[in-house]
Amino acid sequence: MARGKRRARRVADVTEGPSQAPGAITALLESPAEIVDIFVEALCALVDAGGSGDCNSLYRRNLLVSFLNNLPILNRTLCSLAQADGRYASVMYYERTRLGAGASGHFLEALPRGLSLFGFNADECMEMNLQASLIRISKERTALIEKLEARKHAAPGVAGGDNCLDLSAGVPWRAQHFVAAQRSYVARMRGTKPAHFFCQCPHRACQRMVYCGPIRQMPDHGDDAPGYWSVLDKKSNSLDVHAAKFCSWFCRQSHSKDVTVLKEALQFGSLDADTDCRKEGRLRVAEALRKCARRNESIGRALRELESTLHTPSIDPRPFLVTMKRRLNIDLGLLYAASILAESRSLSEGKVLAGAHDAWRGRPVFYMHAIRTVGEIYDKHHKGGNVVSNLHIDEPFLRKLKAVCLRIF
């Protein structure tokens, strides 16, 4: 009995408003599990009351939403307790949407990660019209919230339908109805919209299924590299992702931040290390090869350090590091094969050799056959994923280039 009185007194303390903040913080530190339960229970009670409450009730309700929204980011214990509460995800999805958090234009905005909308059935309750625009979908959700807030009682059979079987019994009927409607809406969309209207969130740590809608193909800018270096790529690893593919604003911002970090990390200055060669013609090729070997040694060392220190949780940096290594190695391979031919006047006569002239990379069309051939040899014979810089060790890639250099140029 005494325990019940203490709990009732604590409920009153933590839900009265800002004047009780010190007591709430003390209670939160002493018994976080109980306090999380108290806050969620208090919010559920206010959601049950709907939009019929007075201004003070609405103020307390919004205050509770704000606190519970920030609770999981305070520490891991509170995050785990919030995720373990069966009511938290559903009621917070409802309340965030009510307060306009879902109006960002991202399909899963305001949806906690512990709650899923995909994989359920379409029921007969069609309170939302199917839309193609993400903004219109957000408006449909807001309109449904307004209807639910105006209702005094749940419609028979709606709040406990098949799409809510996984929800806790303590979830307010309005939140249950809203979640069920969203799940039914998603199921209807999956059945009527083309498959390419759906994708996984590009954030590597998220990858939730998302409705992205009709997206025009974005122009592929790659990584803004010159034409020659882009030609050396096996395939494009564009960092540009359409905003609609992200499930939420947070995932989009995190991805954008990591893209900036990666781009800055891969800025090694000009890769054209042989621009200041003194010689010309076939004599220049060997000089260019030596300079580019030193370039590979320097950048290779930097890439090894990046692989062990670079932290980009939202994107996988490996494809872009592999692309950088490929560019460096194929560029060196072209010069290596050209240097072997350049040793002989007769073999090099009439051939357009890589490195024989200044700014030779500015016209990659002259070297397309050589680039394709060296690229095929690289894919087949280069092992280990290292940046080739030592021309005096037994490197299978270089050995093969030496054997077939006559048919490269």
Side-chain angles (χ1 to χ4, degrees):
M1 187 69 175
R3 182 180 179 184
K5 290 182 179 179
R6 289 196 303 270
R7 190 175 191 279
R9 186 163 55 252
R10 187 167 287 177
V11 170
D13 288 344
V14 300
T15 59
E16 283 300 323
S19 62
Q20 300 296 330
I25 293 174
T26 302
L28 189 61
L29 295 174
E30 292 177 352
S31 51
E34 183 178 352
I35 297 304
V36 170
D37 177 66
I38 290 172
F39 272 101
V40 175
E41 184 175 319
L43 180 58
C44 288
L46 291 171
V47 173
D48 274 329
S52 59
D54 55 19
C55 293
N56 184 51
S57 297
L58 181 61
Y59 172 77
R60 290 170 56 200
R61 180 176 174 182
N62 293 345
L63 197 67
L64 283 169
V65 174
S66 178
F67 182 83
L68 286 170
N69 190 58
N70 291 284
L71 195 66
I73 65 175
L74 295 179
N75 58 53
R76 292 182 180 179
T77 300
L78 291 172
C79 181
S80 300
L81 290 171
Q83 291 175 347
D85 192 303
R87 303 161 296 175
Y88 179 85
S90 300
V91 75
M92 287 303 295
Y93 182 39
Y94 179 86
E95 287 294 89
R96 289 171 179 173
T97 306
R98 177 181 67 85
L99 292 173
S104 69
H106 297 285
F107 187 67
L108 299 184
E109 192 69 78
L111 180 72
R113 298 194 181 277
L115 190 65
S116 176
L117 300 184
F118 288 82
F120 296 88
N121 299 320
D123 56 31
E124 297 180 359
C125 181
M126 299 184 182
E127 297 186 90
M128 294 175 61
N129 298 319
L130 289 181
Q131 303 285 350
S133 166
L134 291 169
I135 298 298
R136 290 184 178 179
I137 291 173
S138 174
K139 291 180 179 179
E140 287 282 328
R141 288 171 173 167
T142 301
L144 177 57
I145 290 279
E146 292 174 353
K147 292 178 183 178
L148 291 173
E149 285 292 298
R151 294 177 188 174
K152 295 183 178 181
H153 303 287
V158 173
D162 293 339
N163 285 345
C164 290
L165 296 178
D166 61 320
L167 302 185
S168 170
V171 175
W173 67 265
R174 288 182 175 84
Q176 286 193 30
H177 187 131
F178 182 70
V179 172
Q182 299 313 306
R183 288 173 169 177
S184 175
Y185 186 77
V186 169
R188 289 163 55 203
M189 293 179 74
R190 291 286 278 176
T192 58
K193 304 292 185 182
H196 66 272
F197 279 23
F198 300 85
C199 66
Q200 285 185 298
C201 178
H203 193 295
R204 182 171 58 161
C206 178
Q207 297 189 332
R208 291 190 289 182
M209 182 63 70
V210 176
Y211 170 77
C212 58
I215 296 179
R216 293 182 179 180
Q217 187 67 30
M218 295 183 64
D220 185 12
H221 299 298
D223 58 359
D224 299 325
Y228 167 80
W229 296 103
S230 296
V231 169
L232 302 188
D233 297 347
K234 185 176 182 180
K235 57 182 179 180
S236 174
N237 288 313
S238 177
L239 293 169
D240 297 323
V241 181
H242 197 285
K245 293 187 176 183
F246 291 98
C247 70
S248 64
W249 179 88
F250 174 80
C251 281
R252 179 184 175 184
Q253 290 298 109
S254 299
H255 187 276
S256 178
K257 178 181 176 181
D258 283 351
V259 166
T260 301
V261 170
L262 181 58
K263 284 186 174 181
E264 291 177 352
L266 294 179
Q267 291 298 319
F268 298 110
S270 176
L271 300 182
D272 301 352
D274 57 322
T275 54
D276 58 347
C277 290
R278 298 180 179 181
K279 300 177 182 179
E280 287 294 333
R282 66 186 186 89
L283 298 179
R284 185 185 187 279
V285 178
E287 185 181 0
L289 175 63
R290 290 193 298 271
K291 288 180 177 292
C292 289
R294 288 195 294 269
R295 173 205 65 193
N296 278 19
E297 182 180 10
S298 175
I299 297 180
R301 189 183 306 113
L303 288 175
R304 288 193 297 272
E305 183 178 350
L306 275 179
E307 287 176 319
S308 61
T309 60
L310 190 62
H311 181 63
T312 53
S314 66
I315 58 177
D316 184 1
R318 288 174 296 181
F320 306 99
L321 296 177
V322 168
T323 295
M324 177 61 71
K325 293 177 182 179
R326 179 185 177 86
R327 290 179 174 183
L328 296 171
N329 289 338
I330 293 182
D331 183 68
L332 186 76
L334 286 168
L335 291 170
Y336 181 77
S339 69
I340 296 173
L341 295 177
E343 292 177 357
S344 170
R345 182 185 298 273
S346 60
L347 291 178
S348 60
E349 187 175 0
K351 297 184 181 297
V352 182
L353 298 179
H357 303 282
D358 191 27
W360 62 274
R361 296 182 182 87
R363 306 184 73 177
V365 66
F366 291 150
Y367 307 97
M368 290 303 297
H369 171 74
I371 290 171
R372 284 194 295 267
T373 305
V374 173
E376 292 171 358
I377 295 173
Y378 177 80
D379 293 333
K380 186 174 181 180
H381 295 278
H382 180 64
K383 307 297 180 183
N386 61 301
V387 177
V388 179
S389 59
N390 192 336
L391 304 176
H392 303 291
I393 63 173
D394 184 27
E395 168 66 44
F397 169 52
L398 298 182
R399 189 190 332 130
K400 186 63 177 179
L401 287 178
K402 186 176 183 178
V404 300
C405 62
L406 285 174
R407 65 179 180 88
I408 294 178
F409 292 97

